[in-house]
Amino acid sequence: QVLKTTFQGTKGQTVTLDVEAQRLGSNLRPTVRLYDPRGRQVAWSPPRYQVGGDARCTTALTLDGLYVIELHDQLYKAADPAPFRLKIGDFGYAEATFPLAVRSGTKATLTTLLGNLPQSIPWEAAADLPPGLTPTPWPATVNPAGRGPRVLVTEVVEHAAPLTAPVAVPCGISAVLDAAGTEQLHILNVTAGQKLRFDVMGRRLGSPIDAVLTVRNDKGAQLATNDDRPGNSDSLLEFVVPNDVKQLQVGVKDMQSRGGIFAGSPYEVR
C-alpha cells in the first residue's frame, strides 16, 4: 500500500517531512517521497539510523502549487500493527552532539550534528546526574521535529579529538571521522598486563557509523580488531596489554568508508 496526501507549498518555503513509526513501536519501516507540482521528486528518505529507523527529509520548495507526499513501507510489506505519525512543517532537529559525552560535574559546549541546526549549546552536566544518556537543552526558539539530541554522562575523564598527546585510561574519547575512507587514531598510555575493554558507541548514540576498531602497538603492528558485537554494529573488544607494550594506537574507521560530520560519523570510544 502507498498512501498519499497533498499540501499547498510556496516557493522558498522550507519543509521537513518527519515520519514517526519505529519510534512509536510500529512495525512500519517508512519511506517517504515528496513531489513538486510538476510531478518531479524533490526529496525522499528511507529508514534512517539517525532517526531511530524512521524517515525524515528537508528541502526548500522551488515552486508555488500543490505538492504530493507518498508514504510506504520500505519493502511494501509492513506487518500489523503499522501505525505512523507524519509531520509536515518547518522543524528544527539534531540527532547528536559533539562531544558525544561529558563527565558529570563539568561544563561543555555542545555542537549539534546530524540535523539542520548547526549551533552550539552551552551545557553543564550536574554533579548529581546519574551516568547514562540524558537530553541536552533544546533552544526555546526551535520548533522541534521530535526529541532533541542526547548526551552521554559519564564518570570518567572525557576527551574530544583530535588529541595532541597520549591519554591515560580509563577515559572516553569523542571523535568524528575527518573524511571518507579515513581512520581516526587515538594514542593511549598503558601498562603491561592491563586488562582493557574498548567500547565504541555510535549507533547507540544516533550515528549511522558502522565502526571498525583496531588496536595496534606503538610501532603500528596490529594486535586485535573488532567489527560488530552481537546484535549491534558498535565495536566491542576486550584486550590484555602485552608485556612489551607501553602505548597503544586505537584506530576507528567506518566499514563503508563514510566520514565527515555531514556523513554522520561521530562516535565515542571508551
Side-chain angles (χ1 to χ4, degrees), residues 143-246:
N143 183 23
R147 72 183 184 197
R150 297 180 297 167
V151 64
L152 181 66
V153 177
T154 74
E155 296 178 328
V156 300
V157 175
E158 292 291 338
H159 303 278
L163 303 176
T164 58
V167 297
V169 295
C171 69
I173 303 171
S174 291
V176 176
L177 298 181
D178 295 327
T182 60
E183 180 183 53
Q184 185 82 267
L185 288 179
H186 314 292
I187 310 300
L188 305 180
N189 287 328
V190 295
T191 57
Q194 196 171 15
K195 295 180 179 180
L196 302 177
R197 184 176 188 267
F198 296 94
D199 184 3
V200 177
M201 301 187 73
R203 292 284 174 90
R204 290 171 292 163
L205 294 179
S207 173
I209 185 173
D210 186 357
V212 178
L213 174 76
T214 302
V215 178
R216 304 179 178 91
N217 63 19
D218 57 352
K219 297 179 177 60
Q222 181 175 308
L223 302 176
T225 188
N226 177 265
D227 177 13
D228 299 336
R229 70 181 71 202
N232 193 285
S233 61
D234 286 344
S235 302
L236 179 66
L237 178 65
E238 294 186 352
F239 180 79
V240 178
V241 179
N243 290 333
D244 58 344
V245 174
K246 295 182 179 180

Side-chain angles (χ1 to χ4, degrees), residues 34-79:
L34 177 64
Y35 299 89
D36 70 11
R38 296 175 296 182
R40 183 184 64 178
Q41 180 176 296
V42 293
W44 82 289
S45 173
R48 300 184 185 277
Y49 283 105
Q50 303 99 308
V51 203
D54 285 335
R56 179 189 290 158
C57 57
T58 298
T59 190
L61 306 185
T62 59
L63 297 171
D64 296 333
L66 189 68
Y67 285 76
V68 177
I69 299 171
E70 288 186 352
L71 175 66
H72 60 83
D73 182 75
Q74 184 181 34
L75 300 178
Y76 295 92
K77 59 175 186 179

Side-chain angles (χ1 to χ4, degrees), residues 11 29 35-36 43-44 70 91 103 115-116 128 144 160 165 175 190 193 206 241 255:
K11 181 179 179 179
R29 291 186 55 78
Y35 299 89
D36 70 11
W44 82 289
E70 288 186 352
F91 300 113
R103 187 180 186 180
N116 60 358
D128 58 352
V190 295
V241 179
M255 174 63 77

